[in-house]
Amino acid sequence: MAVPVAALCCLVPLLPAGITPGVPRWLGEPVDWPKVGLLAFLHGCWESMAQGLPTPCLVLVRRLLRRPALPERMPARPGVNAFFPVLFAGVLMLPPAAAALVAAPAALLGGPIGRDCRRRQLFNGSQLALCAFASSIVFHLLCGPQLLLGSRFPAALLPGFAAVAVFCLVNGVVVGVMVMLSESRGAGVLLRGACSVCGLPVLVHAAGGLMVAVLWQGPYGAFAALLALLPLSISAWVFAQGQREQDAHQATVQSLVQAVEIKDSYTRGHSERVGRASVLIAGQLGMEEERLRTLRFAGILHDVGKLGVATELLRRNGPLTEAERRAVEIHPVYGFELVRGIDFLGEAHAGILHHHERMDGRGYPSGLAGREIPEFARIISVADAFDSMTSTRSYRRGRPVTEAVAELERCSGSQFDPVMVRALIDALAVHGWQPVVHSEDCVRAVPDIPLGVPEPVRAAPGRVPAQGGSIPTAGQT
């Protein structure tokens, strides 16, 4: 409640002068209420557009025409205000308390309805009000309004950039304090929070806010300012649609993973952990952000082909016949066929199909060797085996991380790519790894077999000619 209370204190200068003695003249100067109302309305409209939600204008028009209400949608970026130019314009044109008021309606009235949502909206609105109040004070202390009205550039840019810096600093500190209190994190999170809200998007929005303020106070008034917002609003809308598309991709992936985990309860959470370990490996290799996202999808979906394997075979903790082993080994092909029509997966297709190949060419389904194996598949192979060894399965109890790492090193070069194994070891040294914890009953129900010793599922001798390889030595999924 501290943030909302502080935000309410920011509005004290709006009270009559007789009630608030001692307030500096510039802090309690008369407020242009029509401008405040219009800026608050515009901020709400453009913020809704940036979140991919219906704007207040559209909602009002539909009510006037007695059209049915639009179905409720979640914001493209829940809890994140993504469009600041109008808010920055208010910081530059209004007294501090009035600038704080511009942020409130969009945060308090927009978005989904619900008790938890309302609490989040109250926090967001209060947070932005504090940021606007503090940045507007800095702008006034640096004589920004006089420089802006006189169009004295580039002198007016200094207070403008100072105001943006304070906005970002307050925003980051408020978020950092909340993370410290809710997650018991150290004070270093404050600096990371401040840095996380700074960047090119904020500078672009600040430049847009400056343009709006200059045009608004020019001969053409608010109309010219609205025209200046058009390019930024289009980009915000496109970004919101892209965010929604990414959310749809994530939902598609999660649905497939959930189906696999329902089929094989012992692997619950395995897919997400393989995706996380894959990203750790790729991060050590310096892979770019877009490929990291695709790799994570590949890691999460690597076992989706198990939907085509009999459940009894997946849960068997005894030996498999050669025919049964073939049926299990075909799961990468099933997985590839299941996802080949999902275009956004891109490189992930090859990772899913070949994640059981071996560096020595004895893997399956294609018997690829060395660099013939796609990079995604070589990464997922290491991540998959590591999580399989450190978590309890239907055929073996999980082993400590140190034992799993030793087994990966032992099989490096024959089964696994040594570069990927080294990258995982380096990543674990930095980020650590928390193995999954199973109940005692679950652990007692499976045999305790040391790594390097053939597991019951591998007891059937011989290769599988149709698939070109035997079950891997380290880890099996």
Side-chain angles (χ1 to χ4, degrees):
M1 288 300 293
V3 175
V5 170
L8 284 176
C9 292
C10 294
L11 303 181
V12 169
L14 296 176
L15 298 174
I19 304 179
T20 56
V23 174
R25 184 184 59 81
W26 59 269
L27 190 58
E29 64 186 26
V31 177
D32 185 348
W33 289 107
K35 183 181 290 186
V36 173
L38 183 54
L39 282 170
F41 178 74
L42 291 176
H43 178 59
C45 288
W46 263 266
E47 181 57 31
S48 298
M49 189 181 300
Q51 298 285 7
L53 299 173
T55 65
C57 293
L58 179 60
V59 174
L60 180 60
V61 169
R62 292 185 70 88
R63 286 180 179 175
L64 292 175
L65 296 177
R66 297 183 179 179
R67 297 285 181 85
L70 293 169
E72 188 170 306
R73 301 174 66 183
M74 288 295 294
R77 301 175 66 197
V80 179
N81 288 73
F83 196 79
F84 291 144
V86 178
L87 190 57
F88 283 144
V91 167
L92 302 179
M93 292 192 295
L94 298 172
L101 198 58
V102 170
L108 297 179
L109 302 179
I113 299 174
R115 185 175 179 181
D116 292 337
C117 293
R118 288 306 184 201
R119 287 178 179 175
R120 185 184 301 136
Q121 289 165 350
L122 177 62
F123 175 80
N124 290 339
S126 303
Q127 173 189 352
L128 288 178
L130 282 174
C131 296
F133 183 80
S135 58
S136 183
I137 284 180
V138 170
F139 188 68
H140 280 76
L141 289 176
L142 295 176
C143 302
Q146 292 84 351
L147 296 172
L148 190 64
L149 280 173
S151 296
R152 295 173 61 181
F153 292 99
L157 294 178
L158 176 60
F161 281 122
V164 172
V166 170
F167 187 98
C168 294
L169 179 63
V170 174
N171 194 13
V173 168
V174 170
V175 172
V177 169
M178 291 302 298
V179 172
M180 285 177 59
L181 295 177
S182 60
E183 301 180 9
S184 301
R185 303 277 291 276
V189 76
L190 290 176
L191 179 59
R192 290 194 294 272
C195 293
S196 67
V197 295
C198 299
L200 183 60
V202 174
L203 293 178
V204 172
H205 286 193
L210 178 62
M211 187 187 309
V212 169
V214 170
L215 293 174
W216 194 304
Q217 298 182 136
Y220 298 103
F223 177 74
L226 289 176
L227 292 179
L229 284 173
L230 283 178
L232 287 173
S233 61
I234 292 172
S235 66
W237 182 84
V238 170
F239 178 84
Q241 301 314 305
Q243 188 70 33
R244 286 200 177 280
E245 185 176 356
Q246 289 186 17
D247 292 344
H249 294 171
Q250 185 67 35
T252 301
V253 170
Q254 289 302 124
S255 297
L256 290 170
V257 170
Q258 188 176 17
V260 175
E261 293 182 346
I262 289 174
K263 189 179 183 72
D264 185 5
S265 59
Y266 271 95
T267 62
R268 188 157 296 152
H270 170 67
S271 298
E272 287 287 349
R273 292 192 299 274
V274 171
R276 186 165 69 249
S278 298
V279 170
L280 288 178
I281 294 172
Q284 288 295 123
L285 301 176
M287 186 176 290
E288 57 269 23
E289 190 67 29
E290 187 60 31
R291 291 189 72 208
L292 277 177
R293 178 173 172 271
T294 305
L295 173 64
R296 179 175 172 273
F297 283 155
I300 291 174
L301 291 174
H302 75 285
D303 272 346
V304 69
K306 287 185 176 180
L307 291 173
V309 179
T311 304
E312 190 273 333
L313 297 182
L314 297 177
R315 297 182 179 180
R316 177 86 61 85
N317 61 2
L320 296 178
T321 66
E322 186 170 326
E324 290 172 335
R325 192 141 53 97
R326 285 200 194 98
V328 173
E329 289 182 352
I330 203 68
H331 79 269
V333 178
Y334 288 154
F336 174 75
E337 293 297 330
L338 276 170
V339 302
R340 68 185 306 175
I342 305 178
D343 294 335
F344 70 82
L345 289 177
E347 266 187 284
H349 294 136
I352 293 169
L353 178 61
H354 296 294
H355 72 276
H356 276 300
E357 304 287 359
R358 294 172 51 114
M359 295 296 287
D360 58 13
R362 296 171 54 224
Y364 59 89
S366 304
L368 302 181
R371 294 291 173 173
E372 294 177 345
I373 306 171
E375 184 181 25
F376 275 23
R378 283 180 277 134
I379 292 174
I380 295 171
S381 175
V382 173
D384 182 24
F386 174 73
D387 184 69
S388 297
M389 289 186 285
T390 54
S391 55
T392 296
R393 316 305 291 272
S394 60
Y395 49 83
R396 178 190 32 77
R397 296 181 190 177
R399 311 303 300 179
V401 169
T402 52
E403 288 187 29
V405 167
E407 183 69 5
L408 288 176
E409 290 180 312
R410 185 181 73 83
C411 299
S412 177
S414 58
Q415 182 177 351
F416 306 117
D417 185 339
V419 175
M420 307 309 175
V421 173
R422 185 73 257 165
L424 177 62
I425 294 172
D426 292 343
L428 293 176
V430 175
H431 303 283
W433 185 265
Q434 185 62 44
V436 63
V437 179
H438 293 279
S439 66
E440 292 185 8
D441 292 340
C442 175
V443 172
R444 282 197 299 266
V446 295
D448 186 14
I449 303 175
L451 295 176
V453 176
E455 296 149 4
V457 74
R458 301 182 189 139
R463 291 174 54 82
V464 183
Q467 304 306 323
S470 58
I471 298 291
T473 303
Q476 186 261 349
T477 58

